[in-house]
Amino acid sequence: MGESQLKETLEAIKQEQQHRFQEFGNLEFEFSKLKSKYKATKDNISWQSSRLYFIVLKLESGNLLTDSEVKWLRANGLHDTNKIAQEINRFTQLKSKYKATQYQDSYPDSQLYQILKKLDIAERLNNSEYNWLLNNQLLETAEVFQQQESVKEDHFANLRDEYQAIKYSDLSLSSPLYRILQNIDAQNNLSESEINWLEQQGLSETIAIAQELEQTRDFAALRVKYKATEYQDSSPKSHLYKIFKKLDLSNHLGEQDINFLRKRKLTKTIEIYHDKYANNLKLNIESGKALNELEIEWLKNNGREDIIILAQQKHFAALKSKYDVLAYQDKSHTSFLYTILQKLELKERLEPTEFAWLQETKIKVSQPTYNYYSWQKEPKYQEKNLVSGKIWIAYHTIEANLYEQEFQRTDNKWNLANASSHWRKADEPEQALQLTNNLEFDKIKENKLKSALLTSRGGAFRDIEKLDKAENCARQAIEYQQKSHHPYTLMGAICFERHQYSDGEYWFQEAIKRGANPRDMDSEIKRVVKNAKDENKRREVIEYLLKKDSQRYSWAKSYLKKPQYNDKKLVYITKLPT
């Protein structure tokens, strides 16, 4: 071979290699584009050694994948590619079904695919979609749409007749009426906005039909729920439907309703009602609602005394909380305290035996001790009888009101004196003063009554710290009844309030001479100590008492602020007596 011939051969081989290299490069580029289009970017293998190339090429040409190819995609985690393949498969089927096979593009983002999906569920096409079919010469597909529209128009006409909406003039399928009538026909309940629209169009007959159908469906469901399927009348106008609606609201059924159920032998319905109503009453009790007389009677008649007991126990606990006697341990509804608290709640007068029981019965209550840094970790406890705090106030409030009513009935002014005394004990001195504000003492003949009224009035003035007026009343009371110890006791208390201790002792001794109990004097002094607002004044009276008789007045020590050491710091602790 000559030199020139060899050169030509080598040049030919070189050109062939360059052509092949260019061809391979183009294939690689095409493969990269197809991988991106069909979301197969996970696979980084060259097209020469990858099965993926032939799969995406097949999808691009509009051919369907075999089962083995689908499995290969799943096995290699190419789920997005597999999903696109499934969409292409569906697109191909829809093109065949709706006579659009001449359209070449099979990728799911095609507008034709969106149109065919709408046709497949008989959804209306808009004008632009319909025109798109015509512009792409898909006339048979457009004809399918026209046939669907014709069927819908006939359907709309039938619905208008069936549901008495023929007076509505708009016959277009885009009319809101068509959608509403479809809803009714599909046994769906109408929304509030749909009912409002029908009302605005004057289609009251359509509303009535829809509501009756809704109630009929509801009645059928309730007959199953309340086990009354053997009842034949399915009309919502039936009285049974009204009973079911009451049951659904957990309302009480009257005797007429129960008799209706009994006559039709709907015993299971009655049983369901009993359980449902009883459970509803229990829920009401748990939420703090009290039973009324009708509910209690129903529970008794139906053998549900357990719920009555539960209500009583809950009520008792609530009353104990209200009257601040939670420390009383007995929780039983048969407790004597429960009877008493119910009477107080109803503002009924207590019997003497009931009041005596309250005085004799004691509970342990915490007596907190407070310092300037923290609460004491271990609280102290003290005993007190039940006639204290809120029970005390409730009792005396009831007594005061009863004596006022008795005064209104009889005009007996002793009732005013008693009412005034009870108002003071109920911590309502202003009420006591109001009762005696306009009394004309010169028209009252009985000096003992005048003295009692003035003593009570003076005590009320003392309660509101008007000591001068209190003293005037006390001295007038003494003038009217010198043998009564009550105004002398009041004078002694007034003197101690003013820190005139020797004068106070004198008046207390005069009271004792006239029959007062020395313990009553101590109670008045203790009240002065307890209510002192000025700490220095309190200390002054306590020191006077302890100096006079440290044993008799040892209780006064508990009212002193005592220096104590706490974590090497000097603090003052004050006991707060109840």
Side-chain angles (χ1 to χ4, degrees):
M1 178 181 296
E3 186 177 343
S4 61
Q5 190 177 2
L6 179 61
K7 270 186 176 185
E8 288 176 8
T9 302
L10 290 173
E11 184 64 30
I13 292 170
K14 182 179 178 182
Q15 287 178 358
E16 185 179 350
Q17 287 176 337
Q18 287 176 344
H19 177 72
R20 285 184 180 180
F21 181 78
Q22 185 177 2
E23 189 178 57
F24 289 162
N26 289 339
L27 288 172
E28 284 288 358
F29 177 70
E30 181 186 11
F31 184 31
S32 177
K33 283 177 62 179
L34 290 174
K35 283 199 299 180
S36 176
K37 180 176 180 180
Y38 292 99
K39 299 182 180 178
T41 52
K42 282 187 176 182
D43 195 323
N44 295 318
I45 303 172
S46 169
W47 67 272
Q48 294 171 282
S49 56
S50 174
R51 188 177 181 185
L52 180 60
Y53 175 68
F54 299 100
I55 290 175
V56 294
L57 199 61
K58 198 172 183 180
L59 291 174
E60 181 68 7
S61 62
N63 293 315
L64 303 181
L65 299 185
T66 63
D67 290 343
S68 64
E69 289 168 332
V70 170
K71 288 178 182 177
W72 187 89
L73 289 173
R74 288 175 184 162
N76 286 273
L78 296 169
H79 303 296
D80 289 338
T81 308
N82 190 38
K83 186 177 179 181
I84 293 171
Q86 291 172 355
E87 291 290 316
I88 290 173
N89 186 21
R90 189 186 175 208
F91 190 7
T92 302
Q93 291 171 348
L94 290 176
K95 284 199 290 185
S96 176
K97 182 177 180 180
Y98 294 105
K99 302 176 182 180
T101 51
Q102 70 268 37
Y103 190 75
Q104 296 302 312
D105 186 4
S106 295
Y107 197 74
D109 66 356
S110 166
Q111 186 171 358
L112 177 60
Y113 186 37
Q114 310 310 315
I115 291 172
L116 295 181
K117 284 195 290 185
K118 290 178 78 171
L119 288 178
D120 204 44
I121 58 174
E123 185 178 332
R124 293 196 78 237
L125 302 183
N126 57 44
N127 289 336
S128 65
E129 290 168 331
Y130 179 69
N131 289 331
W132 188 91
L133 291 174
L134 297 178
N135 293 336
N136 284 274
Q137 299 300 309
L138 296 170
L139 303 181
E140 289 182 286
T141 308
E143 179 62 25
V144 171
F145 169 64
Q146 290 294 345
Q147 289 170 1
Q148 285 185 353
E149 291 290 279
S150 178
V151 170
K152 289 177 185 177
E153 287 168 358
D154 291 341
H155 183 229
F156 187 16
N158 291 333
L159 291 177
R160 289 171 63 242
D161 287 339
E162 184 176 356
Y163 297 111
Q164 298 184 23
I166 53 175
K167 67 171 72 172
Y168 187 69
S169 58
D170 186 358
L171 304 181
S172 68
L173 296 179
S174 60
S175 162
L177 179 62
Y178 183 41
R179 177 179 51 78
I180 292 173
L181 295 181
Q182 283 179 303
N183 268 343
I184 297 173
D185 204 48
Q187 298 188 352
N188 295 325
N189 295 341
L190 294 184
S191 66
E192 186 177 348
S193 62
E194 289 173 327
I195 292 172
N196 290 338
W197 187 89
L198 290 171
E199 285 176 345
Q200 290 169 6
Q201 310 309 316
L203 298 173
S204 55
E205 297 90 347
T206 307
I207 295 172
I209 293 170
Q211 290 177 338
E212 185 173 354
L213 289 172
E214 182 181 334
Q215 290 171 352
T216 302
R217 292 192 296 271
D218 187 36
F219 188 18
L222 291 174
R223 281 161 62 203
V224 174
K225 180 178 179 179
Y226 294 113
K227 302 192 175 179
T229 50
E230 66 270 30
Y231 188 73
Q232 296 301 314
D233 187 357
S234 61
S235 169
K237 295 176 182 178
S238 164
H239 184 64
L240 183 60
Y241 181 52
K242 295 175 183 176
I243 292 175
F244 285 161
K245 296 307 285 184
K246 288 182 185 178
L247 282 178
D248 250 17
L249 295 171
S250 298
N251 287 341
H252 174 66
L253 295 185
E255 195 60 33
Q256 181 184 356
D257 293 332
I258 296 296
N259 287 336
F260 180 92
L261 296 173
R262 284 198 188 108
K263 286 179 182 178
R264 287 148 186 84
K265 298 181 180 179
L266 298 174
T267 53
K268 290 182 180 178
T269 306
I270 295 173
E271 289 172 8
I272 292 171
Y273 159 65
H274 283 168
D275 290 341
K276 188 179 178 70
Y277 188 61
N279 287 333
N280 186 59
L281 292 180
K282 284 177 74 173
L283 289 173
N284 288 344
I285 292 165
E286 294 291 346
S287 66
K289 187 177 178 181
L291 295 175
N292 60 40
E293 300 256 337
L294 182 66
E295 291 166 342
I296 292 171
E297 183 182 356
W298 184 90
L299 290 167
K300 286 178 180 177
N301 293 338
N302 289 279
R304 296 308 301 265
E305 285 82 2
D306 58 314
I307 297 179
I308 297 175
I309 292 171
L310 173 66
Q312 290 171 334
Q313 289 171 340
K314 288 283 185 182
H315 188 222
F316 185 24
L319 289 178
K320 285 202 294 183
S321 176
K322 178 176 179 177
Y323 289 96
D324 202 16
V325 286
L326 285 171
Y328 186 73
Q329 295 301 310
D330 189 356
K331 298 179 180 179
S332 170
H333 65 288
T334 59
S335 167
F336 194 41
L337 178 60
Y338 182 38
T339 302
I340 291 172
L341 293 182
Q342 286 183 93
K343 291 181 78 170
L344 292 178
E345 191 70 2
L346 294 170
K347 296 179 173 49
E348 293 180 4
R349 193 174 210 169
L350 298 187
E351 297 294 332
T353 53
E354 292 169 330
F355 187 75
W357 184 85
L358 290 172
Q359 288 179 309
E360 293 166 4
T361 306
K362 298 185 181 297
I363 56 173
K364 282 186 176 181
V365 295
S366 61
Q367 183 182 8
T369 300
Y370 182 76
N371 64 45
Y372 292 115
Y373 294 94
S374 64
W375 284 98
Q376 191 171 282
K377 290 182 180 178
E378 296 182 3
K380 294 182 178 180
Y381 291 90
Q382 67 174 8
E383 283 192 337
K384 70 172 185 178
N385 62 43
L386 288 171
V387 185
S388 58
K390 294 179 181 178
I391 289 180
W392 171 269
I393 288 174
Y395 168 76
H396 286 293
T397 300
I398 291 168
E399 290 293 312
N401 280 311
L402 287 172
Y403 276 115
E404 279 196 41
Q405 291 167 16
E406 193 64 14
F407 169 70
Q408 296 294 333
R409 188 179 71 83
T410 64
D411 201 36
N412 185 338
K413 290 183 175 56
W414 275 109
N415 290 314
L416 280 186
N418 287 324
S420 179
S421 174
H422 282 294
W423 278 126
R424 287 189 61 214
K425 291 173 183 175
D427 200 22
E428 295 284 353
E430 297 286 359
Q431 285 285 94
L433 290 171
Q434 188 175 346
L435 284 180
T436 54
N437 268 343
N438 300 313
L439 284 177
E440 297 177 352
F441 284 92
D442 55 340
K443 292 184 180 180
I444 300 173
K445 295 179 181 179
E446 192 178 350
N447 284 341
K448 186 178 179 180
L449 175 56
K450 291 180 182 178
S451 179
L453 288 167
L454 285 164
T455 301
S456 178
R457 185 169 175 81
F461 277 125
R462 177 199 167 194
D463 295 339
I464 61 173
E465 300 181 15
K466 294 185 177 181
L467 299 181
D468 290 343
K469 289 185 177 182
E471 181 182 352
N472 289 337
C473 288
R475 290 187 181 278
Q476 287 181 63
I478 290 171
E479 289 179 14
Y480 285 122
Q481 184 72 12
Q482 294 182 4
K483 292 181 180 181
S484 172
H485 63 80
H486 296 293
Y488 292 89
T489 302
L490 176 57
M491 280 299 300
I494 292 168
C495 289
F496 263 82
E497 295 276 10
R498 290 169 168 166
H499 307 284
Q500 298 166 350
Y501 309 123
S502 57
D503 291 344
E505 291 288 353
Y506 164 77
W507 288 109
F508 281 145
Q509 288 303 317
E510 290 297 312
I512 292 169
K513 288 177 186 178
R514 290 162 175 78
N517 191 324
R519 283 181 300 183
D520 292 339
M521 308 302 103
D522 289 355
S523 295
E524 293 295 337
I525 293 171
K526 183 179 285 190
R527 180 183 165 189
V528 171
V529 172
K530 180 181 176 181
N531 293 340
K533 296 178 180 178
D534 187 301
E535 190 59 40
N536 292 328
K537 294 291 185 182
R538 177 186 282 127
R539 180 174 289 277
E540 179 187 309
V541 66
I542 291 172
E543 288 175 352
Y544 169 80
L545 294 171
L546 293 175
K547 185 176 180 180
K548 180 177 177 61
D549 190 335
S550 59
Q551 186 172 354
R552 178 181 175 183
Y553 299 114
S554 59
W555 52 263
K557 295 177 184 178
S558 64
Y559 289 87
L560 281 173
K561 275 191 177 179
K562 300 178 181 179
Q564 291 190 11
Y565 285 92
N566 183 9
D567 297 332
K568 297 182 180 181
K569 292 180 180 179
L570 183 63
V571 298
Y572 286 88
I573 297 177
T574 303
K575 285 192 174 181
L576 302 176
T578 57

